[in-house]
Amino acid sequence: MKNKINLLLFVAALAFAFSSCNDEDPADVVACFTFSPEENIQVGDTVFFSNCSQEAQETVWTFGDDESSMETNPSHAYTAPGIYDVTLTAINGGVIVTATQSVNVAADLSYIINYGSYSGDKTTISTFNKYVDEDQVSNGYYAEVNGVAKTSNTQYAYNYNGNIYFMDNNVDGISWVNNKTFEQTSNAITTDIHKPRFCVGSGDYLYVSCWESDAIFSGDLSISYIAKVDLSSNQVVSKISLPGGPEGLEIVNDKIYAALTFKDSVAIVDLSNESVNYIETPARTTNFEKDNEGNLYVTLTRDWDDYVTQTGIGYINTTTNQLESIYELNGVGTSYDNVMEPNADFSRLYVMSSESDENYNVSGSIYVFDVAAKSFESDKLTEGISGINGVDFYDNKVFCFVSESVTGNGKVITYSEDGTKVNEYETGIAPFMLLKVE
């Protein structure tokens, strides 16, 4: 507000100073402007204003949110949704002319991905809106926008280069929507995409971990690969053979780090020549988080037939490509996109685990890893959650996804960073991740 008041006072003083010595015809001064984009503006988007005024010696902009500018052609980003009246004031001596237009800024939604079920229910999308009181979750968003339901189960969703990409494993393919309108306007990529698991983008390419078929569960580890998708043509341009069932992926220094479900190691694929090297690990790996220095934390877990004794999270130095440290934790989750999540400044990692009591009742907990201390805190963020299905962090809250039934709707529970429960919302079937669009 202060900037706006100061600028308006300046305009008034300027008009007074020139009013007695300038006989400018008011008809000669025109205030005019355009802005871009005109539609689908969301919180955080930059709006560019173009000044088409005539005979103006000075121009003053007010953006409708207590912010102002005296630039000729300014840009501005809004921090909250709403309809903002933008006014351009054109000044020539004692002549002041204004033009006003409205800019509609929509809520920058984030999306909860609900897997569906193995009995036929397909993926649905719930929205999370942080800009309303007590936040808000609404279900069935994909069908609401596109007029039809999704026809596949999504393993992972990824926001990249203006689109949200869905790794759909039933039917096999990669589908996508515009990350502003959420509309699907193109057919899915299905050629050379089999059981897509995860993806990561670099430049004009999307790298997708794939399994050729269910034969991998019978021991044929040679059939898995990474598909390189050219996003300009939406075609798979190469398949990098990667035995062992790649799941979670991360790119550092032009190398793909791939967690392997059926092999106690992390694969490193050099994108310059597609050569593959390995880092041995004491357990199977599923999920990465990249820290502020570009090094990786990786989940170390056991599968149903893998009786390893050392589970937890590992720390990979991406300069030396060495597994430098292991921080033990029992029962680390076996998924590859929702087991471990950092807070906003990467000072903490929230790690999901499952535990059994003396009566073999399984429940879940979220542990807190202190990055500076390099150790798990003694107090869990939360525990005793039946059907825990994932963890995420957004809007300074920890999200815990819960799926107690394979056919009924699930829920998301939010917590503050001190472990206080904030809220609880109903979602679609089997919620497992939050896709942040910012």
Side-chain angles (χ1 to χ4, degrees):
M1 178 67 75
K2 183 177 180 181
N3 289 340
K4 179 178 179 180
I5 291 174
N6 287 342
L7 283 171
L8 291 178
L9 289 174
F10 172 80
V11 170
L14 194 64
F16 179 80
F18 282 101
S19 60
S20 62
C21 59
N22 191 302
D23 296 325
E24 188 73 37
D25 185 351
D28 293 334
V29 183
V30 176
C32 167
F33 71 92
T34 61
F35 61 92
S36 176
E38 295 182 347
E39 298 179 340
N40 300 321
I41 303 169
Q42 291 186 321
V43 171
D45 288 353
T46 299
V47 183
F48 298 91
F49 295 92
S50 180
N51 190 341
C52 52
S53 300
Q54 299 176 18
E55 302 297 334
Q57 294 178 337
E58 300 285 347
T59 54
V60 178
W61 300 79
T62 59
F63 299 113
D65 61 350
D66 294 336
E67 296 294 328
S68 304
S69 174
M70 293 183 65
E71 295 181 19
T72 302
N73 298 294
S75 61
H76 187 62
Y78 292 92
T79 60
I83 298 176
Y84 297 91
D85 290 332
V86 178
T87 297
L88 169 63
T89 301
I91 307 163
N92 190 332
V95 179
I96 301 174
V97 183
T98 63
T100 299
Q101 297 189 60
S102 294
V103 177
N104 191 348
V105 181
D108 196 4
L109 300 173
S110 292
Y111 304 101
I112 297 169
I113 313 300
N114 307 295
Y115 180 83
S117 73
Y118 293 99
S119 59
D121 296 293
K122 303 305 180 185
T123 287
T124 61
I125 308 296
S126 304
T127 60
F128 179 83
N129 186 349
K130 69 178 183 180
Y131 296 103
V132 297
D133 291 341
E134 298 186 357
D135 305 324
Q136 183 181 71
V137 169
S138 300
N139 297 317
Y141 189 67
Y142 181 92
E144 176 186 329
V145 173
N146 292 282
V148 295
K150 281 189 67 64
T151 58
S152 186
N153 295 99
T154 295
Q155 293 283 126
Y156 179 64
Y158 184 62
N159 181 34
Y160 188 67
N161 278 3
N163 289 323
I164 295 171
Y165 292 92
F166 299 105
M167 304 299 105
D168 296 328
N169 70 344
N170 180 19
V171 182
D172 294 343
I174 302 171
S175 60
W176 59 93
V177 296
N178 181 280
N179 70 358
K180 300 298 184 186
T181 66
F182 217 78
E183 294 176 344
Q184 180 173 344
T185 58
S186 302
N187 293 328
I189 301 171
T190 56
T191 303
D192 292 325
I193 295 293
H194 304 280
K195 296 194 176 301
R197 315 293 291 177
F198 195 90
C199 69
V200 64
S202 179
D204 293 330
Y205 297 98
L206 197 67
Y207 296 89
V208 183
S209 51
C210 295
W211 301 357
E212 185 71 27
S213 72
D214 286 338
I216 197 168
F217 293 104
S218 302
D220 187 358
L221 304 186
S222 66
I223 62 175
S224 55
Y225 59 94
I226 294 177
K228 181 179 180 181
V229 180
D230 186 336
L231 296 180
S232 62
S233 63
N234 292 328
Q235 293 182 334
V236 176
V237 293
S238 68
K239 294 166 68 174
I240 305 170
S241 178
L242 190 57
E247 301 250 32
L249 306 174
E250 190 55 83
I251 294 181
V252 184
N253 300 328
D254 206 34
K255 295 180 175 63
I256 293 179
Y257 292 78
L260 300 178
T261 300
F262 300 102
K263 188 174 181 179
D264 294 349
S265 62
V266 168
I268 306 174
V269 181
D270 190 326
L271 292 178
S272 65
N273 55 23
E274 298 187 356
S275 62
V276 181
N277 292 291
Y278 295 90
I279 302 172
E280 291 187 4
T281 58
R284 294 179 179 180
T285 57
T286 58
N287 182 222
F288 297 107
E289 291 296 341
K290 181 165 59 175
D291 70 11
N292 298 328
E293 287 73 45
N295 298 309
L296 300 176
Y297 287 89
V298 60
T299 51
L300 304 172
T301 187
R302 64 172 61 90
D303 210 341
W304 62 275
D305 63 344
D306 188 23
Y307 301 102
V308 299
T309 59
Q310 195 171 35
T311 63
I313 61 176
Y315 179 78
I316 296 174
N317 184 319
T318 55
T319 300
T320 63
N321 285 329
Q322 298 292 318
L323 180 66
E324 290 191 346
S325 303
I326 297 171
Y327 309 101
E328 294 191 22
L329 181 67
N330 290 327
V332 175
T334 59
S335 186
Y336 47 89
D337 51 32
N338 58 1
V339 175
M340 176 174 57
E341 186 73 15
N343 65 351
D345 62 2
F346 216 101
S347 61
R348 303 171 111 193
L349 281 168
Y350 299 100
V351 184
M352 184 181 80
S353 76
S354 297
E355 301 156 329
S356 298
D357 62 19
E358 64 275 9
N359 297 316
Y360 301 101
N361 297 312
V362 178
S363 63
S365 301
I366 297 177
Y367 285 81
V368 181
F369 182 79
D370 186 314
V371 174
K374 301 295 183 186
S375 63
F376 284 98
E377 296 180 1
S378 57
D379 293 332
K380 304 170 188 176
L381 181 84
T382 187
E383 60 184 332
I385 300 176
S386 176
I388 191 169
N389 202 44
V391 62
D392 225 311
F393 186 87
Y394 176 63
D395 192 31
N396 295 318
K397 302 180 187 73
V398 179
F399 285 64
C400 180
F401 301 101
V402 179
S403 179
E404 296 181 277
S405 168
V406 295
T407 57
N409 284 348
K411 62 184 177 182
V412 59
I413 306 171
T414 57
Y415 299 89
S416 62
E417 289 205 72
D418 65 4
T420 302
K421 181 178 176 179
V422 177
N423 220 325
E424 182 176 316
Y425 313 89
E426 182 177 303
T427 65
I429 299 173
F432 68 96
M433 69 171 289
L434 180 78
L435 184 68
K436 298 172 271 288
V437 180
E438 297 178 304

